[in-house]
Amino acid sequence: MAFGWRCNGVAWPGDVPQLGWSKGAERRVSTLAYGVGLGFRAVGERHCVGARGNVCPLGAVVSVRSTGGRCPECARLDRAHSVAADTLLDDPRTYRVYLAWFGPGLVKVGITREERGAARLREQGAVVFSWLGRGPLMAARRTEEVLRAALGVPDRIPYARKRAVRGQLPGERERFGEVVELYGRAAELEGRGWPESLERLPLDVVDHGGIFGLDRAPRATRSVRELVDGGLVEGELVAAAGPDLHLAVAVAVDGGGGGGRGGVVVLDTRLITGWELAAVGPAAANDVRVPLIDIAGGGVQGGLF
């Protein structure tokens, strides 16, 4: 089955987001920049993106609202080889434990491979974070469980909640405060449940508000719910956080109906994986014609990070 160019989503290898593209064996990367236009038109049906670099053998059609973009078989294969599934018990690599802050009262604890640096935090849209410790995988996993119970913080946060608070973030000092307080409580657990094989790292709070563009972008009020065949998305990129692109648009119409209003619309790029995307025509001008939903309503897709 031959397809045109398909987007693989947003990656954050550094402080600048990139869109990955594939067409058969060809691969390309588009580096994104704030203040620059970005647009596409969805074509045909959405197909499974495969797993672990392999194409889906069935070429299965998948749900337009799925943030995974995989059929059930490929989803099982992908998860079976993930750290989250606890199947890599003999992984020899070093892992880090972190605290990630997404907004007031929204803090999670998590782990990531040390070699990835802070890429995992940027991919999740963590506005502020600090490392807690480093060590073997099982020690990092045990520490994560201990901190969840002791600090009363989760290891997952629904993405709708992150998105809902992103437009009303406090200043940098307030953003740091919650992470500093929780780090202090975590440090007190050394010798009381903190695994001896996990080295505690010093407090070093990092703020991503600047590289995400959130401190200077207008507040987003709506997000793309799904793409449709022929659906148009075009706007000026004003901010990005995790997989989300914040686009300033002149017109936003649900599914191509009449009327509409502008503002800033969030596009979760996990929703565009598996679609063939074509260039927009010259008539489009910061236009969005796909189903939208109000961010404040909280009823957006339930993908978790």
Side-chain angles (χ1 to χ4, degrees):
M1 187 179 296
F3 296 117
W5 285 102
R6 293 177 179 270
C7 184
N8 300 324
V10 170
W12 287 87
D15 290 349
V16 179
Q18 297 179 347
L19 277 177
W21 302 89
S22 62
K23 181 179 181 182
E26 294 183 74
R27 298 290 186 271
R28 291 182 182 175
V29 171
S30 301
T31 300
L32 303 179
Y34 303 134
V36 175
L38 183 152
F40 61 85
R41 188 183 301 276
V43 178
E45 295 178 305
R46 188 186 190 194
H47 290 263
C48 175
V49 297
R52 301 287 156 179
N54 300 304
V55 297
C56 175
L58 303 176
V61 175
V62 296
S63 168
V64 294
R65 296 192 186 182
S66 165
T67 52
R70 293 184 172 90
C71 69
E73 288 301 318
C74 287
R76 278 192 288 271
L77 176 62
D78 187 69
R79 184 166 178 81
H81 294 85
S82 72
V83 172
D86 281 338
T87 57
L88 304 176
L89 303 184
D90 58 349
D91 190 335
R93 295 172 295 189
T94 299
Y95 282 77
R96 288 199 174 203
V97 185
Y98 59 80
L99 284 171
W101 184 94
F102 301 92
L106 289 185
V107 182
K108 62 160 280 190
V109 60
I111 68 173
T112 185
R113 296 197 311 272
E114 184 170 69
E115 65 201 55
R116 297 202 66 211
R120 177 65 174 151
L121 284 303
R122 294 187 289 269
E123 290 168 358
Q124 295 180 78
V127 181
V128 173
F129 83 93
S130 178
W131 300 118
L132 286 172
R134 63 185 297 273
L137 172 60
M138 296 313 295
R141 180 65 78 201
R142 173 59 181 161
T143 304
E144 182 184 41
E145 294 173 356
V146 168
L147 295 178
R148 284 172 55 197
L151 305 182
V153 296
D155 63 346
R156 293 177 179 240
I157 295 176
Y159 215 85
R161 295 185 63 195
K162 300 179 188 179
R163 191 174 293 129
V165 302
R166 195 181 292 152
Q168 46 192 353
L169 297 175
E172 190 174 89
R173 177 169 295 184
E174 293 111 311
R175 301 204 287 244
F176 279 31
E178 198 167 356
V179 173
V180 171
E181 189 266 334
L182 287 172
Y183 176 92
R185 290 172 55 193
E188 293 173 357
L189 295 173
E190 281 193 286
R192 297 189 296 117
W194 185 293
E196 293 183 2
S197 56
L198 193 94
E199 172 193 356
R200 181 164 64 88
L201 295 173
L203 176 68
D204 183 16
V205 184
V206 178
D207 191 291
H208 286 150
I211 67 170
F212 287 166
L214 298 174
D215 291 338
R216 54 186 179 273
R219 180 180 179 180
T221 57
R222 288 164 297 163
S223 65
V224 173
R225 186 180 67 191
E226 63 194 55
L227 297 189
V228 295
D229 182 23
L232 174 71
V233 175
E234 185 180 34
E236 178 187 320
L237 183 66
V238 295
D244 282 356
L245 302 181
H246 293 222
L247 301 173
V249 303
V251 179
V253 181
D254 287 355
R261 56 192 171 94
V264 176
V265 171
V266 173
L267 170 65
D268 183 342
T269 55
R270 296 175 299 172
L271 292 175
I272 68 178
T273 58
W275 282 96
E276 181 175 342
L277 304 178
V280 297
N286 288 2
D287 202 357
V288 172
R289 294 179 181 272
V290 292
L292 304 173
I293 192 167
D294 286 340
I295 288 176
V300 288
Q301 54 273 9
L304 295 174
F305 268 119

